[in-house]
Amino acid sequence: MTITSPTSRENAHRAANTGHLILGLETSCDETAAAVVRTDPSGRAAILSNTIASQHELHAEYRGVVPEIASRAHAERLLPIVRQAVKEAGVTLADLDAVAVGNRPGLIGSLLVGVAGAKGLALALGKPCIPVDHIHAHLYAGCMTASPMPLFPSLGLVVSGGHTSIYLMHSPARMTRIAATIDDAIGEAYDKVAAIIGPPLGFPGGPQVDALAQKGDPSRITFPISRVAPGSLDFSFSGLKTAVLYKWNGVPGPKAPKHERPTAEDLCASFQHAAVAAITMKLGRAIEQHAGIRSLLVGGGVSANSRLRAELTRLANDNTLDLRLPPMDLCMDNAAMIAGLAAVLINADPTAGSDSGFSAVPTTSQ
Ligand code: KG4
Ligand code: ZN
């Protein structure tokens, strides 16, 4: 079990804020996470602790997350992680104003562990329990510790292992989906490319493909950039994934041309070029179609990608938009973003958390 702890950057905020003190829990996939966050009335957050027990080593040999293994590991790890998060924050459970939990979307067995744990804690403490949409929380991660808050309306881009979507964000608490992938998510495509190349690349493959891509030639192979339909904002990555498979293993069939395998570096660089171009092309279209946008919010594991970060910075500069990328420690799944967004939801609606009848749901509400 790998446990990571908060950085001094986050601890530096400790004394400054008053407001909600929230414990967040995150168990939607393969990270068991707990965090304590203190927010001011505007929703800006100080992250007092951000503790994550990664399960990557449990799933690596299967090259993907095994739901049954994930749920069992969450059940074993949740309470130790909560204890550690509270201790590192320098608070007690009795100090908390609320408990927040990512209740959707995700693996149902994994979500249920977090939801049951959060409800039990909230009941024992006599505090509200606030359900939080994990996708919405990813979008909030880039602005929760930054000052000042971005101006709205905003466009939100989620790029994760399970989602690739664009949202029109009316406010930090309210958003409407305007685009999604019609097949694979971009993070899934990264993980598949790593699986196609094989060892020594493992799971999750995104960071390793990104590292190889930085050493390769992105113009070596021309991969397809999916447009889906004229004017469409939707994404598609399954064709790109198949093109990578054929470039690496050769086209199947007796009449296939003689195959010459590229280097892994060039394959990754060319794949990354096409994958990132698909994102920035659609986001560019969305910006054109939505006049009056003030900022760009980005979240999800793939927001850690080097080329995507550089290209989004260029796109935002070209359009004079305030770009909010999460710091690296808030790109991947974490509970600080869950607690931070819960505070925004309470500020928008003080009755949030009063109905403890919510459940775990595999799909996003957004
Ligand atoms: O948001 P996240 O932690 O989990 C989900 O909600 O899905 O995203 C995980 C995904 C994985 O597919 C992982 O390979 C990808 O994010 N990822 C990256 C990078 N870092 C993580 N993909 C490309 N480049 C990266 N640097
Ligand atoms: Zn996520």
Side-chain angles (χ1 to χ4, degrees):
M1 160 159 78
T2 317
I3 298 182
T4 56
S5 296
T7 62
S8 51
R9 172 179 64 76
E10 291 136 0
N11 284 335
H13 292 274
R14 253 180 215 193
N17 287 308
T18 55
H20 305 294
L21 185 68
I22 301 185
L23 169 71
L25 304 183
E26 157 60 37
T27 63
S28 66
C29 190
D30 59 345
E31 319 277 12
T32 315
V36 178
V37 162
R38 192 188 292 285
T39 61
D40 68 18
S42 73
R44 253 186 306 272
I47 301 172
L48 306 189
S49 64
N50 189 16
T51 311
I52 302 174
S54 168
Q55 301 180 7
H56 291 167
E57 81 283 3
L58 298 181
H59 303 286
E61 70 173 289
Y62 306 101
R63 299 188 168 274
V65 177
V66 183
E68 172 77 16
I69 294 175
S71 318
R72 285 171 186 269
H74 287 309
E76 284 164 15
R77 297 169 180 201
L78 188 63
L79 288 188
I81 288 298
V82 166
R83 277 199 202 96
Q84 184 173 338
V86 170
K87 186 167 167 225
E88 287 180 357
V91 300
T92 66
L93 284 171
D95 297 330
L96 298 171
D97 295 315
V99 178
V101 60
N103 76 314
R104 65 188 309 170
L107 301 172
I108 192 68
S110 292
L111 290 166
L112 277 166
V113 175
V115 167
K119 285 189 181 189
L121 264 174
L123 182 68
L125 297 170
K127 300 289 158 72
C129 190
I130 302 159
V132 172
D133 187 292
H134 176 95
I135 295 301
H136 192 173
H138 267 310
L139 285 174
Y140 185 63
C143 31
M144 64 184 285
T145 54
S147 203
M149 288 290 278
L151 294 173
F152 289 82
S154 175
L155 281 181
L157 170 71
V158 174
V159 277
S160 73
H163 293 82
T164 309
S165 314
I166 305 177
Y167 294 88
L168 176 59
M169 303 194 66
H170 314 281
S171 72
R174 205 166 64 79
M175 62 199 223
T176 311
R177 195 175 73 189
I178 57 172
T181 179
I182 60 167
D183 42 51
D184 299 336
I186 183 169
E188 196 181 340
Y190 266 92
D191 293 336
K192 286 283 156 49
V193 169
I196 288 167
I197 294 172
L201 301 197
F203 177 83
Q208 300 159 51
V209 171
D210 186 7
L212 280 178
Q214 291 175 50
K215 297 185 208 143
D217 174 5
S219 62
R220 169 78 171 71
I221 306 156
T222 305
F223 280 126
I225 298 170
S226 157
R227 283 164 176 77
V228 180
S232 167
L233 297 179
D234 288 334
F235 301 98
S236 165
F237 291 101
S238 66
L240 174 58
K241 204 175 69 182
T242 307
V244 168
L245 177 72
Y246 287 171
K247 245 328 157 204
W248 188 248
N249 287 338
V251 179
K255 293 196 180 140
K258 191 171 156 359
H259 176 240
E260 210 177 295
R261 179 173 276 186
T263 64
E265 286 82 357
D266 286 349
L267 186 88
C268 289
S270 303
F271 158 76
Q272 179 150 290
H273 173 83
V276 170
I279 300 281
T280 50
M281 178 183 69
K282 294 302 172 81
L283 199 55
R285 259 187 207 168
I287 294 167
E288 274 169 31
Q289 291 177 15
H290 293 83
I293 293 303
R294 312 290 296 275
S295 51
L296 266 185
L297 273 48
V298 182
V302 187
S303 63
N305 183 265
S306 58
R307 187 176 181 105
L308 183 63
R309 289 177 89 91
E311 290 297 307
L312 288 174
T313 303
R314 186 191 50 72
L315 186 69
N317 286 342
D318 290 352
N319 291 280
T320 332
L321 290 171
D322 177 11
L323 173 67
R324 300 301 177 105
L325 285 164
M328 291 309 250
D329 55 344
L330 296 183
C331 288
M332 303 284 275
D333 289 350
N334 66 86
M337 66 184 191
I338 301 289
L341 181 59
V344 172
L345 299 178
I346 300 175
N347 286 340
D349 173 10
T351 65
S354 54
D355 177 7
S356 58
F358 69 87
S359 190
V361 186
T363 54
T364 177
S365 57
Q366 308 295 339

